[in-house]
Coordinates of all heavy atoms in Angstrom, one line a residue:
M878 N 116.0 80.0 76.1 CA 115.3 81.2 75.4 C 116.3 82.3 75.2 O 117.1 82.6 76.0 CB 114.2 81.7 76.4 CG 113.1 80.7 76.6 SD 111.9 80.6 75.2 CE 110.7 81.7 75.8
P879 N 116.2 82.9 74.0 CA 117.1 84.0 73.7 C 116.7 85.2 74.4 O 115.5 85.4 74.8 CB 116.9 84.2 72.2 CG 115.6 83.7 71.9 CD 115.3 82.6 72.9
C880 N 117.6 86.2 74.6 CA 117.3 87.5 75.2 C 116.8 88.4 74.1 O 117.3 88.4 73.0 CB 118.5 88.1 75.8 SG 119.0 87.2 77.3
E881 N 115.7 89.1 74.4 CA 115.2 90.1 73.5 C 115.7 91.4 73.8 O 115.9 91.8 74.9 CB 113.7 90.1 73.6 CG 112.9 89.3 72.5 CD 111.5 89.6 72.6 OE1 110.8 89.1 73.5 OE2 111.0 90.4 71.8
C882 N 116.0 92.2 72.7 CA 116.6 93.5 72.9 C 115.6 94.5 72.4 O 115.4 94.5 71.1 CB 117.9 93.6 72.2 SG 119.1 94.7 72.9
L883 N 115.0 95.3 73.2 CA 114.0 96.3 72.7 C 114.7 97.7 72.8 O 115.4 98.0 73.8 CB 112.8 96.2 73.6 CG 112.0 94.9 73.7 CD1 110.9 95.0 74.6 CD2 111.6 94.5 72.3
V884 N 114.4 98.5 71.9 CA 114.8 99.9 71.9 C 113.6 100.8 72.2 O 112.7 100.8 71.4 CB 115.5 100.3 70.6 CG1 116.0 101.7 70.7 CG2 116.7 99.3 70.3
G885 N 113.7 101.5 73.3 CA 112.6 102.4 73.6 C 112.6 103.6 72.8 O 113.5 103.9 72.0
S886 N 111.5 104.4 72.9 CA 111.3 105.6 72.1 C 112.4 106.6 72.3 O 112.7 107.5 71.5 CB 109.9 106.2 72.4 OG 109.8 106.4 73.7
D887 N 113.0 106.6 73.5 CA 114.1 107.6 73.8 C 115.5 107.0 73.5 O 116.5 107.6 73.8 CB 114.0 108.0 75.3 CG 114.2 106.8 76.2 OD1 114.2 105.7 75.7 OD2 114.4 107.1 77.4
G888 N 115.5 105.9 72.8 CA 116.8 105.4 72.4 C 117.4 104.4 73.4 O 118.4 103.8 73.2
S889 N 116.8 104.3 74.6 CA 117.4 103.4 75.6 C 117.1 101.9 75.2 O 116.1 101.6 74.6 CB 116.8 103.7 77.0 OG 115.4 103.5 76.9
V890 N 118.0 101.1 75.5 CA 117.9 99.7 75.2 C 117.5 98.9 76.4 O 118.0 99.0 77.5 CB 119.2 99.1 74.6 CG1 119.1 97.6 74.3 CG2 119.7 99.9 73.4
I891 N 116.4 98.1 76.2 CA 115.9 97.3 77.3 C 116.1 95.8 76.9 O 115.6 95.4 75.8 CB 114.4 97.6 77.5 CG1 114.2 99.0 77.9 CG2 113.9 96.6 78.6 CD1 112.8 99.5 77.8
M892 N 116.8 95.1 77.7 CA 117.0 93.6 77.5 C 116.0 92.9 78.2 O 115.8 93.1 79.4 CB 118.4 93.2 78.0 CG 119.5 93.8 77.2 SD 120.0 92.8 75.8 CE 120.8 91.4 76.6
I893 N 115.3 92.0 77.5 CA 114.4 91.1 78.2 C 114.8 89.6 78.0 O 114.8 89.1 76.9 CB 113.0 91.3 77.6 CG1 112.5 92.8 77.9 CG2 112.0 90.3 78.2 CD1 111.2 93.1 77.3
C894 N 115.1 89.0 79.1 CA 115.5 87.6 79.0 C 114.3 86.8 79.5 O 113.9 86.9 80.7 CB 116.7 87.3 79.9 SG 118.2 88.1 79.3
S895 N 113.7 86.1 78.6 CA 112.4 85.4 79.0 C 112.7 84.0 79.5 O 112.9 83.1 78.7 CB 111.5 85.4 77.8 OG 112.2 85.2 76.6
R896 N 112.7 83.9 80.8 CA 112.8 82.6 81.4 C 111.7 82.4 82.4 O 111.9 81.9 83.5 CB 114.1 82.5 82.1 CG 115.2 82.2 81.1 CD 116.5 81.8 81.8 NE 117.6 82.0 80.8 CZ 118.9 82.0 81.2 NH1 119.2 81.9 82.5 NH2 119.8 82.2 80.4
G897 N 110.5 83.0 82.1 CA 109.4 82.8 83.0 C 109.4 83.8 84.2 O 108.7 83.7 85.1
R898 N 110.4 84.7 84.1 CA 110.5 85.7 85.2 C 110.1 87.0 84.7 O 109.9 87.2 83.5 CB 111.9 85.7 85.8 CG 112.3 84.5 86.5 CD 113.5 84.8 87.4 NE 114.2 83.5 87.7 CZ 115.5 83.5 87.9 NH1 116.2 84.5 87.7 NH2 116.0 82.3 88.2
K899 N 110.1 88.0 85.6 CA 109.8 89.3 85.2 C 110.9 89.8 84.3 O 112.1 89.5 84.5 CB 109.7 90.2 86.4 CG 108.4 90.1 87.2 CD 108.2 91.3 88.1 CE 109.2 91.3 89.3 NZ 108.9 92.4 90.2
P900 N 110.6 90.7 83.3 CA 111.7 91.3 82.5 C 112.6 92.1 83.4 O 112.2 92.7 84.4 CB 110.9 92.2 81.6 CG 109.5 91.8 81.6 CD 109.3 91.1 82.9
V901 N 113.9 91.9 83.2 CA 114.9 92.6 84.0 C 115.5 93.8 83.2 O 115.9 93.6 82.0 CB 116.0 91.7 84.4 CG1 117.1 92.5 85.1 CG2 115.5 90.6 85.3
T902 N 115.4 95.0 83.7 CA 116.0 96.1 83.1 C 117.4 96.3 83.5 O 117.6 96.4 84.7 CB 115.2 97.4 83.4 OG1 113.8 97.2 83.1 CG2 115.7 98.6 82.6
P903 N 118.4 96.3 82.6 CA 119.8 96.4 83.1 C 120.1 97.9 83.3 O 119.5 98.8 82.7 CB 120.5 95.9 81.9 CG 119.7 96.2 80.7 CD 118.3 96.1 81.2
C904 N 121.1 98.1 84.2 CA 121.6 99.4 84.5 C 122.1 100.1 83.2 O 122.8 99.4 82.4 CB 122.7 99.3 85.5 SG 123.6 100.8 85.8
H905 N 121.8 101.3 83.0 CA 122.2 102.1 81.8 C 123.7 102.1 81.7 O 124.3 102.2 80.6 CB 121.7 103.5 81.9 CG 122.1 104.4 80.7 ND1 121.4 104.4 79.5 CD2 123.1 105.3 80.6 CE1 122.0 105.2 78.7 NE2 123.0 105.8 79.4
Y906 N 124.4 102.1 82.8 CA 125.9 102.3 82.8 C 126.7 101.0 82.9 O 127.7 100.9 82.2 CB 126.3 103.1 84.0 CG 125.6 104.5 84.0 CD1 124.5 104.8 84.7 CD2 126.1 105.5 83.1 CE1 123.9 106.1 84.6 CE2 125.5 106.7 83.0 CZ 124.5 107.0 83.8 OH 123.9 108.2 83.7
C907 N 126.2 100.0 83.7 CA 127.0 98.8 83.8 C 126.3 97.5 83.5 O 126.9 96.5 83.4 CB 127.6 98.8 85.2 SG 126.4 98.4 86.5
G908 N 125.0 97.6 83.3 CA 124.2 96.4 82.9 C 123.8 95.5 84.0 O 123.1 94.5 83.7
K909 N 124.0 95.9 85.2 CA 123.5 95.1 86.3 C 122.0 95.3 86.5 O 121.5 96.4 86.1 CB 124.3 95.5 87.6 CG 125.7 95.1 87.6 CD 126.2 94.9 89.0 CE 127.6 94.4 89.0 NZ 128.6 95.4 89.6
P910 N 121.3 94.5 87.2 CA 119.9 94.7 87.5 C 119.7 96.0 88.2 O 120.5 96.3 89.1 CB 119.5 93.5 88.4 CG 120.5 92.4 88.0 CD 121.8 93.2 87.7
I911 N 118.7 96.7 87.8 CA 118.5 98.1 88.4 C 117.8 98.1 89.7 O 117.0 97.1 90.0 CB 117.8 99.0 87.4 CG1 116.3 98.5 87.2 CG2 118.5 99.2 86.1 CD1 115.4 99.6 86.7
T912 N 118.0 99.2 90.5 CA 117.2 99.4 91.7 C 116.4 100.6 91.6 O 115.5 100.8 92.4 CB 118.1 99.4 92.9 OG1 119.1 100.5 92.7 CG2 118.9 98.1 93.1
S913 N 116.7 101.5 90.7 CA 116.1 102.8 90.6 C 116.1 103.4 89.2 O 116.9 103.0 88.4 CB 116.8 103.9 91.5 OG 116.9 103.4 92.8
L914 N 115.2 104.4 89.0 CA 115.2 105.1 87.8 C 115.5 106.6 88.1 O 115.1 107.0 89.2 CB 113.8 105.1 87.1 CG 113.3 103.7 86.7 CD1 111.8 103.8 86.2 CD2 114.1 103.0 85.7
C915 N 116.1 107.3 87.2 CA 116.4 108.7 87.4 C 115.1 109.5 87.6 O 114.2 109.3 86.8 CB 117.2 109.2 86.3 SG 117.6 111.0 86.4
D916 N 115.0 110.3 88.6 CA 113.8 111.1 88.9 C 113.9 112.5 88.4 O 113.0 113.3 88.7 CB 113.6 111.1 90.4 CG 113.3 109.8 91.0 OD1 112.3 109.2 90.5 OD2 114.0 109.3 91.9
Y917 N 114.9 112.8 87.6 CA 115.0 114.2 87.0 C 113.8 114.5 86.1 O 113.4 113.7 85.2 CB 116.3 114.3 86.2 CG 116.4 115.6 85.5 CD1 116.8 116.7 86.2 CD2 116.1 115.8 84.2 CE1 116.9 118.0 85.6 CE2 116.2 117.0 83.5 CZ 116.6 118.1 84.3 OH 116.7 119.3 83.7
P918 N 113.1 115.6 86.4 CA 111.9 115.9 85.6 C 112.2 116.5 84.2 O 113.0 117.4 84.1 CB 111.2 117.0 86.4 CG 112.3 117.6 87.2 CD 113.3 116.6 87.5
V919 N 111.7 115.8 83.2 CA 111.9 116.3 81.8 C 110.7 117.0 81.2 O 110.7 117.3 80.1 CB 112.3 115.1 80.9 CG1 113.7 114.5 81.4 CG2 111.3 114.0 80.9
G920 N 109.7 117.3 82.1 CA 108.5 118.0 81.6 C 107.4 117.1 81.3 O 107.5 115.9 81.2
E921 N 106.2 117.7 81.3 CA 104.9 117.0 81.0 C 104.7 115.8 82.0 O 104.2 114.8 81.7 CB 104.9 116.4 79.6 CG 104.9 117.5 78.6 CD 105.0 116.9 77.2 OE1 104.9 115.7 77.0 OE2 105.1 117.7 76.2
G922 N 105.2 116.0 83.2 CA 105.0 115.0 84.3 C 105.9 113.8 84.1 O 105.8 112.9 84.9
K923 N 106.8 113.8 83.2 CA 107.7 112.7 83.0 C 109.0 112.9 83.6 O 109.4 114.0 83.9 CB 107.9 112.4 81.5 CG 106.7 112.0 80.7 CD 107.0 111.8 79.3 CE 105.7 111.6 78.5 NZ 105.9 111.8 77.1
T924 N 109.7 111.8 83.9 CA 111.0 111.9 84.4 C 112.0 111.2 83.5 O 111.6 110.5 82.6 CB 111.1 111.2 85.8 OG1 110.6 109.9 85.7 CG2 110.3 112.0 86.8
C925 N 113.3 111.5 83.7 CA 114.4 111.0 82.9 C 114.3 109.4 82.8 O 114.4 108.9 81.7 CB 115.7 111.4 83.5 SG 117.1 110.6 82.8
D926 N 114.0 108.8 83.9 CA 113.8 107.3 83.9 C 114.9 106.5 83.5 O 114.8 105.4 83.1 CB 112.5 107.0 83.1 CG 111.2 107.1 83.9 OD1 111.3 107.4 85.1 OD2 110.2 106.9 83.3
R927 N 116.1 107.0 83.5 CA 117.3 106.2 83.1 C 117.5 105.1 84.2 O 117.5 105.4 85.3 CB 118.5 107.1 83.0 CG 119.7 106.4 82.5 CD 120.8 107.4 82.1 NE 120.4 108.0 80.8 CZ 121.1 108.9 80.2 NH1 122.2 109.4 80.8 NH2 120.8 109.4 79.0
P928 N 117.5 103.9 83.7 CA 117.6 102.8 84.7 C 119.1 102.7 85.3 O 120.0 102.8 84.6 CB 117.3 101.5 83.9 CG 117.6 101.9 82.5 CD 117.4 103.4 82.4
M929 N 119.1 102.6 86.6 CA 120.4 102.5 87.3 C 120.5 101.5 88.4 O 119.5 101.3 89.1 CB 120.7 103.9 87.9 CG 120.8 105.0 87.0 SD 120.7 106.6 87.8 CE 119.0 106.6 88.4
C930 N 121.6 100.9 88.6 CA 121.8 100.0 89.7 C 122.2 100.8 90.9 O 122.4 102.0 90.9 CB 122.9 98.9 89.4 SG 124.5 99.6 89.4
N931 N 122.3 100.0 92.0 CA 122.6 100.7 93.3 C 123.9 101.5 93.3 O 124.0 102.5 93.9 CB 122.6 99.6 94.4 CG 122.1 100.1 95.7 OD1 121.3 101.1 95.7 ND2 122.4 99.5 96.8
K932 N 124.8 101.0 92.5 CA 126.2 101.6 92.5 C 126.2 102.8 91.6 O 127.0 103.7 91.9 CB 127.2 100.5 92.0 CG 128.0 99.9 93.1 CD 128.9 98.8 92.5 CE 130.1 99.4 91.8 NZ 131.0 98.4 91.2
C933 N 125.4 102.8 90.5 CA 125.6 103.9 89.6 C 124.6 105.1 89.8 O 124.8 106.1 89.3 CB 125.4 103.4 88.2 SG 126.6 102.1 87.7
K934 N 123.6 104.9 90.6 CA 122.7 106.0 90.9 C 123.3 106.9 92.0 O 124.2 106.5 92.7 CB 121.4 105.4 91.4 CG 121.4 104.9 92.8 CD 120.1 104.4 93.3 CE 120.1 104.0 94.7 NZ 118.8 103.4 95.2
T935 N 122.8 108.1 92.0 CA 123.1 109.0 93.1 C 121.9 109.4 93.8 O 120.9 109.9 93.3 CB 123.8 110.3 92.5 OG1 124.9 110.0 91.7 CG2 124.2 111.3 93.6
K936 N 121.9 109.0 95.1 CA 120.7 109.3 95.9 C 120.7 110.7 96.4 O 121.7 111.2 97.0 CB 120.7 108.3 97.1 CG 119.4 108.2 97.9 CD 119.5 107.0 98.9 CE 118.3 106.9 99.7 NZ 117.0 106.7 98.9
I937 N 119.6 111.4 96.2 CA 119.5 112.8 96.6 C 118.4 113.1 97.5 O 118.1 114.3 97.9 CB 119.4 113.7 95.3 CG1 118.2 113.4 94.5 CG2 120.7 113.6 94.5 CD1 117.8 114.5 93.5
G938 N 117.6 112.1 97.9 CA 116.5 112.3 98.8 C 115.9 110.9 99.2 O 116.4 109.9 98.7
P939 N 114.9 110.9 100.1 CA 114.3 109.7 100.5 C 113.9 108.8 99.4 O 114.1 107.6 99.5 CB 113.1 110.2 101.4 CG 113.4 111.6 101.7 CD 114.3 112.1 100.6
D940 N 113.3 109.3 98.4 CA 112.8 108.5 97.2 C 113.2 109.2 95.9 O 112.5 109.2 95.0 CB 111.3 108.3 97.3 CG 110.9 107.1 96.4 OD1 111.7 106.2 96.2 OD2 109.7 107.1 96.0
L941 N 114.4 109.8 95.9 CA 114.9 110.5 94.7 C 116.3 110.0 94.4 O 117.2 110.0 95.2 CB 114.9 112.0 95.0 CG 113.5 112.7 95.1 CD1 113.7 114.1 95.5 CD2 112.8 112.6 93.8
D942 N 116.5 109.7 93.1 CA 117.8 109.3 92.6 C 118.0 110.0 91.3 O 117.0 110.2 90.5 CB 117.9 107.8 92.4 CG 117.5 107.1 93.7 OD1 118.4 107.0 94.6 OD2 116.4 106.6 93.9
V943 N 119.2 110.3 91.0 CA 119.5 110.9 89.6 C 120.6 110.1 89.0 O 121.4 109.4 89.6 CB 120.0 112.4 89.7 CG1 118.9 113.3 90.1 CG2 121.2 112.5 90.7
C944 N 120.6 110.1 87.6 CA 121.6 109.4 86.9 C 122.8 110.3 86.8 O 122.9 111.4 87.3 CB 121.1 109.1 85.4 SG 120.8 110.6 84.5
Q945 N 123.9 109.8 86.2 CA 125.2 110.5 86.2 C 125.1 111.8 85.4 O 125.7 112.7 85.7 CB 126.3 109.5 85.8 CG 126.5 108.5 86.8 CD 127.5 107.4 86.4 OE1 128.3 107.6 85.5 NE2 127.4 106.3 87.1
E946 N 124.2 111.7 84.4 CA 124.0 112.9 83.5 C 123.4 114.0 84.3 O 123.7 115.2 84.1 CB 123.2 112.5 82.3 CG 123.0 113.6 81.3 CD 122.0 113.2 80.2 OE1 121.9 112.0 79.9 OE2 121.4 114.1 79.7
H947 N 122.5 113.7 85.2 CA 121.8 114.7 86.0 C 122.4 114.9 87.4 O 121.8 115.5 88.3 CB 120.3 114.3 86.1 CG 119.7 114.4 84.7 ND1 119.0 113.3 84.1 CD2 119.7 115.4 83.8 CE1 118.6 113.7 82.9 NE2 119.0 114.9 82.7
N948 N 123.6 114.4 87.6 CA 124.2 114.5 88.9 C 125.0 115.8 88.9 O 126.2 115.8 88.9 CB 125.1 113.3 89.2 CG 125.8 113.4 90.6 OD1 125.3 114.2 91.4 ND2 126.8 112.6 90.8
N949 N 124.3 116.9 88.9 CA 125.0 118.2 89.1 C 124.0 119.1 89.8 O 122.8 118.9 89.9 CB 125.3 118.8 87.7 CG 124.1 119.0 86.8 OD1 123.3 119.9 87.1 ND2 123.9 118.2 85.8
P950 N 124.5 120.2 90.4 CA 123.7 121.0 91.4 C 122.4 121.5 90.8 O 121.3 121.4 91.4 CB 124.6 122.2 91.7 CG 126.0 121.6 91.6 CD 125.9 120.6 90.4
D951 N 122.4 122.0 89.5 CA 121.2 122.5 88.9 C 120.1 121.4 88.8 O 118.9 121.6 89.1 CB 121.5 123.1 87.5 CG 122.0 124.5 87.6 OD1 122.2 125.0 88.7 OD2 122.2 125.1 86.5
D952 N 120.5 120.3 88.2 CA 119.6 119.2 88.0 C 119.1 118.6 89.3 O 117.9 118.2 89.4 CB 120.2 118.2 87.0 CG 120.4 118.7 85.6 OD1 119.8 119.8 85.3 OD2 121.1 118.1 84.8
I953 N 119.9 118.5 90.2 CA 119.6 117.9 91.5 C 118.5 118.9 92.2 O 117.5 118.4 92.7 CB 120.8 117.7 92.4 CG1 121.6 116.5 91.9 CG2 120.4 117.5 93.9 CD1 122.9 116.4 92.6
F954 N 118.7 120.2 92.1 CA 117.8 121.1 92.6 C 116.4 120.9 91.9 O 115.4 120.9 92.6 CB 118.3 122.6 92.4 CG 117.3 123.6 93.0 CD1 117.5 124.0 94.3 CD2 116.3 124.2 92.2 CE1 116.6 125.0 94.9 CE2 115.5 125.1 92.8 CZ 115.6 125.5 94.1
K955 N 116.4 120.8 90.6 CA 115.1 120.6 89.9 C 114.5 119.4 90.3 O 113.2 119.3 90.5 CB 115.4 120.6 88.4 CG 115.5 121.9 87.7 CD 115.4 121.8 86.2 CE 116.1 122.9 85.5 NZ 116.3 122.6 84.1
T956 N 115.2 118.3 90.5 CA 114.7 117.0 90.8 C 114.0 117.1 92.2 O 112.9 116.6 92.5 CB 115.7 115.9 90.8 OG1 116.3 115.9 89.5 CG2 115.1 114.6 91.1
Q957 N 114.7 117.8 93.1 CA 114.2 117.9 94.5 C 113.0 118.8 94.6 O 112.2 118.7 95.5 CB 115.3 118.4 95.4 CG 116.4 117.3 95.7 CD 117.6 117.8 96.4 OE1 117.9 119.0 96.3 NE2 118.2 117.0 97.2
H958 N 112.9 119.7 93.6 CA 111.8 120.7 93.7 C 110.8 120.5 92.6 O 110.0 121.5 92.3 CB 112.4 122.1 93.7 CG 113.2 122.4 94.9 ND1 114.5 122.0 95.0 CD2 112.9 122.9 96.1 CE1 115.0 122.4 96.2 NE2 114.0 122.9 96.9
G959 N 110.8 119.4 92.0 CA 109.7 119.1 91.0 C 109.8 119.8 89.7 O 108.8 119.8 89.0
G960 N 110.9 120.2 89.3 CA 111.1 120.8 88.0 C 110.7 122.2 87.9 O 110.2 122.8 88.8
A961 N 110.9 122.8 86.7 CA 110.7 124.3 86.6 C 109.3 124.6 86.1 O 108.9 125.7 86.4 CB 111.7 124.8 85.5
S962 N 108.6 123.7 85.5 CA 107.4 124.0 84.9 C 106.2 124.3 85.9 O 106.0 123.8 86.8 CB 106.9 123.0 83.9 OG 106.9 121.7 84.5
Ligands
LIG1057 ZN1 125.2 100.3 87.3
LIG1058 ZN1 118.6 111.4 84.4

């Protein structure tokens, strides 16, 4: 079966390899299977949701991870405190 390549509304690419298993989302940075999504709040109750593997994510709390774009003190603070809104 061929792999399907879907482009999300935010421009992120999702690869789906259909072999009777669950769709696998690849890491945004290196393409490995992901373990987390970025928890940075982007407003309206949504989060950045950038998919990341164990190696590429930055853990900032018990159930909080940020992508490399949001791995800075300001964004980490917002993520830990639920955003500005
Ligand atoms: Zn990765
Ligand atoms: Zn992010």
Side-chain angles (χ1 to χ4, degrees):
M878 294 280 264
C880 288
E881 261 189 282
C882 211
L883 303 178
V884 180
S886 53
D887 61 349
S889 61
V890 177
I891 300 165
M892 292 272 288
I893 297 175
C894 296
S895 39
R896 282 190 199 166
R898 290 200 200 145
K899 282 197 291 184
V901 174
T902 305
C904 172
H905 177 83
Y906 298 103
C907 71
K909 292 206 177 114
I911 63 157
T912 57
S913 303
L914 302 174
C915 176
D916 293 304
Y917 176 78
V919 294
E921 296 174 8
K923 293 180 189 165
T924 53
C925 168
D926 274 358
R927 186 164 284 176
M929 300 166 291
C930 73
N931 216 22
K932 258 176 76 180
C933 298
K934 73 180 185 183
T935 301
K936 196 169 175 61
I937 60 166
D940 196 26
L941 288 175
D942 304 281
V943 289
C944 65
Q945 290 173 21
E946 186 187 329
H947 294 126
N948 183 16
N949 61 70
D951 275 4
D952 291 346
I953 287 171
F954 182 89
K955 275 194 208 168
T956 305
Q957 288 172 329
H958 296 85
S962 53

